[in-house]
Amino acid sequence: MYQEVDMAKLNPESVVILQKDDLAKLLNILRSHSYQTIGPTLRENAIVYDEIQGMEDLPIGWTDSQEKGSYRLEKRNDDAYFGYNVGPYSWKTYLSPARVRVCNASRSENGFNVVQETGNAPNYAFIGVRPCDVKAIKILDKVFINDFCVDNVYGNRRKQSFIVAVNCTEAGNTCFCSSMGTGPKSEEGFDLCLTEIVTEQSHFFVTEIGSDKALEVLEALSPQTASESEIKEAERRIENAAQSMGRNLNTDRIHDLMFDNYRHPQWDDIAERCLSCANCTMVCPTCFCNTVEEKTDLEGDNAERWRIWDSCFTLEYSYIHGGSVRHSTKSRYRQWMTHKLASWHDQFDTSGCVGCGRCITWCPVGIDITEEVSAIRNSSTVPEETVDQPR
Amino acid sequence: MKGSMQPRRFRIDKVYWETDDTFTHELIPIDEGRFFNFHPGQFNMIYIFGVGEIPISICGDPDINTRLYHTTRVVGDVTKRKQHLKVGDLLGIRGPFGNGWPVEKAKGRDVVVIAGGIGLAPLRPIIYHFLNHRDDYESITLIYGTRSPDKILYRKELEEWSSRLDMDVSVTVDAAGRTWKGPVGVVTKLIPRIISNPDNSTAFVCGPEIMMRFTAVELLKRNFAEQNIFLSMERNHKCGIGFCGHCQLGSYFLCKDGPVFSYDKLKSYLSLKEV
Ligand SMILES: Cc1cc2nc3c(=O)[nH]c(=O)nc-3n(C[C@H](O)[C@H](O)[C@H](O)COP(=O)(O)OP(=O)(O)OC[C@H]3O[C@@H](n4cnc5c(N)ncnc54)[C@H](O)[C@@H]3O)c2cc1C
Ligand code: SF4
Ligand code: SF4
Ligand code: FES
């Protein structure tokens, strides 16, 4: 049934089969190509991304059960490698770290010298990137690498990264990637994309090859091409995820819906519940805002500037002399959701939300972006003073 | 350089105190490159060693690229430390950032420059520009409003401009003692006096947001077209290069799409609170 793939002829669109043991080998190959391999691990009662040395570091046989404001780990009745959805961390942790030094200066006579940064960045291979998160990385690419400017921090890390995506065969309760057109199957933006198939008798991965880099890496494994039935089985399982999506968000005219409803009373309703804790922005795989902190040593001879994650939910975020522009929780939540679902389209020609559901799961009071959009949609009236569309 | 958060160093060559709380630095580049080119209305991120970085408009003559000028009003942490820097001290500059005033849109037209308070600083380069290219424009009018006579910036330039026959300058103050001979009241009060030809006029406005809102309303009442009124907006800035998110106003990033917009692009936001 299987035939050896002639690596010379394999085109990047090819689909091959990697057996369970091949994955361990793949990891070793990546590590020997000097990639730091990052993947899902069990920590702090959650599945979080961290360095993995081997496949035994994955949360094998575990799954997660998510609901608004709740996340629980559970045992599966199989030994799936990737039998869960997304946890509280996302890949932005590695591509635009929560804390990174962006400038380093030392005191000199009358002033200071700037120590030139080397621009060295780690080589990451991301193992187990979900389709929604693959799309989130594509979105961050637009934010940090564009015609206007290229961010050194993100740009250097990103150009070296290797992405092993994993399609979803089961959806979580807070997932709505189908609505956002980002999953449960990844279409592009990966080097390799796996669909895991575990049965009583077998455990293998239907693997799409998305780049020349990936071809090179696979060479040593000489994988076999996938049969039609294997590809069908992978598709059936992905379809299963699409059918079991826990949530749904109607994106019809979403841009205008947000901009037309700046004055909607639902924002007040949300403000009654929202703690302005910023959790939603921290867990969101596309929220990119940051601030810069000045750190000096005790003598004041050295000063470093550190870029750290920030959130539009803080008062300082919009502070200008005289007070914060967005003083109320209402205006801050509105800023966040309007940005994710509407202004993002104007700014980056894409939604800022990929439907990963993290903000729903990790909101301490269980605010659900999909419910809030429906609430606004279901009672959207043309406001008295019609708000004109920007642009 | 772009995409980096590492500043270029400049040396303070002169310090001019404009008022009790506002000073101007004249700067000379000391790192690579002897020139600094900019468009009127652009700004720099200015770094004070060990303290922090803030956005400040460039306020010099855009046809002079060997010296850089910034006027700063002391309001908080960074500006307080900045005021104590002396001639010879170094500070860091990243920039220029922002779109600046669209001077080409005003060619062959009457130009009206309306400034409130420190808002005169980002407008000074455009006045220099109009005067350097005097023949490209019809009448030039400057209306400048400030709190009181002792808060007037750039006295020397204002006196020089006032004495010109090809430019109309009015300075008004919110409140003044007997020695003040000029008009008293907010800038909007002077607008009816000066505008004769709205169809062929372009306005450039900078000041506190509320002042700009009222000024725009007054200009619209005088039949100015929305797309001929330009405002320079203010939000928190941490990077100047589109990555920190702080400068957003609706769909705009002020550091890359702004800070200057025509009124039609802003009016939906200006009518709302806390955007
Ligand atoms: C495009 C632009 C051009 C500007 N041009 C000038 C100018 O030419 N002259 C001038 O005196 N001022 C100008 N400002 C305002 C100036 O940036 C603030 O007064 C300054 O940042 C205050 O910093 P602070 O640390 O002294 O104040 P604090 O109140 O201690 O500030 C705390 C933090 O908030 C931020 N912040 C506070 N006020 C503002 C503000 N108004 N705008 C943006 N960030 C703020 C600062 O980055 C600072 O890190 C401009 C602002 C913008 C956005
Ligand atoms: S807004 Fe919520 S659901 Fe959308 S990408 Fe961010 S965390 Fe995921
Ligand atoms: S929506 Fe929830 S997670 Fe986000 S700031 Fe409000 S309380 Fe925190
Ligand atoms: S100042 Fe950072 S995005 Fe504009």
Side-chain angles (χ1 to χ4, degrees), chain A residues 102-103 105-107 110-117 143-144 146 148-152 259 262-263 288-292 294 296 300-303 305 310 316-321 325-328 331 334-335 339 343 346-348 387-391, chain B residues 1-9 31 47-53 73 75-76 87-92 97-98 234-236 238-253 255-257 264-265 267-269 271-275:
Chain A
V102 289
C103 182
S106 61
R107 186 181 296 285
N110 289 332
F112 61 97
N113 294 311
V114 179
V115 185
Q116 291 305 313
E117 299 280 348
V143 173
F144 288 118
N146 52 51
F148 181 74
C149 199
V150 176
D151 170 38
N152 293 346
F259 277 115
Y262 260 99
R263 291 186 170 88
F288 60 85
C289 288
N290 54 71
T291 186
V292 182
E294 182 90 9
T296 47
D301 289 336
N302 286 290
R305 296 182 55 68
D310 200 3
E316 297 76 37
Y317 181 85
S318 68
Y319 180 84
I320 55 176
H321 176 66
V325 173
R326 291 178 215 103
H327 210 268
S328 64
S331 69
R334 182 178 65 187
Q335 165 66 23
H339 188 212
S343 8
D346 294 329
Q347 297 169 342
F348 303 111
V387 179
D388 295 299
Q389 287 310 303
R391 292 188 187 172
Chain B
M1 185 74 203
K2 224 181 177 191
S4 162
M5 294 290 280
Q6 300 187 41
R8 194 172 146 191
R9 292 174 308 161
D31 288 336
Y47 173 57
I48 312 296
F49 176 76
V51 186
E53 200 182 40
R73 186 161 69 99
V75 294
V87 168
D89 286 348
L90 303 185
L91 43 72
F97 298 128
E234 192 177 341
R235 283 291 181 273
N236 190 302
K238 289 293 171 202
C239 73
I241 46 184
F243 302 144
C244 78
H246 285 247
C247 67
Q248 286 175 89
L249 168 62
S251 290
Y252 306 130
F253 285 94
C255 69
K256 54 183 197 181
D257 306 316
D264 53 319
K265 300 257 164 56
K267 64 176 176 187
S268 62
Y269 298 132
S271 67
L272 296 164
K273 283 201 201 106
E274 298 190 87
V275 178

Side-chain angles (χ1 to χ4, degrees), chain A residues 23 56 126 242 260 265 276:
Chain A
L23 231 53
E56 64 283 1
F126 298 141
D260 288 347
S276 224

